[in-house]
Amino acid sequence: MGIGILGKKMGMTQIFDAEGQAVAVTVIAAGPCPVVAVRTPEQNGYSAVLLGFGAVKPHKLSKPVKGLFDKNKVEPKRTLREFRLDKAEGYEVGQEIRVDLFEAGERIDVSGVSKGKGFAGVMKRYHFGGQQFSHGTSVEHRHGGSSGAISYPGRVFPGKRMPGHMGSDKVTVKNLTVMAVDLENNLLLVKGAVPGAKDGLVALYKK
């Protein structure tokens, strides 16, 4: 992935396109994200830029993180995220990455942490059909059924689809279309849904 920007998912709404069709869009408050550090192959072994996002009081940061901002004379930010690049040339510490990085009609990738669902059964987690509801089935309707073989191999193989923790995973949705860019308010309108809950952190990558 190339350069991108960090933002906050504000929620969803709808707009009308040029043909008068209603289009569901996600509103993202993106940037401005200052460049906190620039990674180079000579010094770090790879090329990347470290971006900051979100206001934070300096006393809430650890001393090493606060020292990084003080050293580079950049206003402290709540979140730091590296964006790997083929070449980091042209980027300087203190430079701001803004929503004008994107334009309407462009395709982008959006990453975020999906909504946590807690502990879930196999019907909700993996869309199992469940057991039959007749012929004497009792208190087994939403169970997954047998989970292993008999005496051989005598165990359940790793990766078996079973009940467990659902959601709260990093998810990337690719090829979403930018419907509109509001430069004045630092807003980005992206067609469709993006991962995460309202007010959640998302990363938008330029393709």
Side-chain angles (χ1 to χ4, degrees), residues 122-130 143-145 160-162:
V122 290
M123 291 184 72
K124 179 175 181 179
R125 195 179 184 199
Y126 295 113
H127 310 294
F128 278 24
H143 285 220
K160 176 72 176 177
R161 294 182 297 174
M162 301 180 75

Side-chain angles (χ1 to χ4, degrees), residues 14-144:
Q14 68 176 18
I15 61 174
F16 295 93
D17 60 15
E19 299 176 354
Q21 298 294 320
V23 179
V25 295
T26 301
V27 182
I28 301 173
C33 296
V35 176
V36 180
V38 178
R39 314 297 192 197
T40 60
E42 296 77 19
Q43 189 172 4
N44 307 100
Y46 63 96
S47 296
V49 292
L50 182 66
L51 301 184
F53 176 74
V56 65
K57 295 180 179 179
H59 73 270
K60 292 188 176 182
L61 300 175
S62 65
K63 286 187 177 181
V65 175
K66 185 175 182 299
L68 175 66
F69 286 109
D70 293 340
K71 175 185 175 183
N72 294 329
K73 299 180 180 179
V74 178
E75 183 181 351
K77 297 295 179 181
R78 180 178 299 276
T79 304
L80 290 172
R81 180 74 59 86
E82 268 191 0
F83 288 80
R84 291 287 186 107
L85 304 171
D86 294 331
K87 294 182 180 179
E89 299 174 358
Y91 295 97
E92 299 178 353
V93 172
Q95 175 185 348
E96 280 194 339
I97 307 296
R98 308 180 71 89
V99 288
D100 57 9
L101 177 69
F102 305 103
E103 57 184 24
E106 187 176 356
R107 294 296 184 98
I108 62 174
D109 297 341
V110 181
S111 293
V113 177
S114 62
K115 291 182 179 179
K117 308 286 186 179
F119 190 94
V122 290
M123 291 184 72
K124 179 175 181 179
R125 195 179 184 199
Y126 295 113
H127 310 294
F128 278 24
Q131 307 298 322
Q132 61 184 7
F133 278 69
S134 60
H135 295 284
T137 303
S138 176
V139 204
E140 295 286 331
H141 308 299
R142 298 184 64 86
H143 285 220

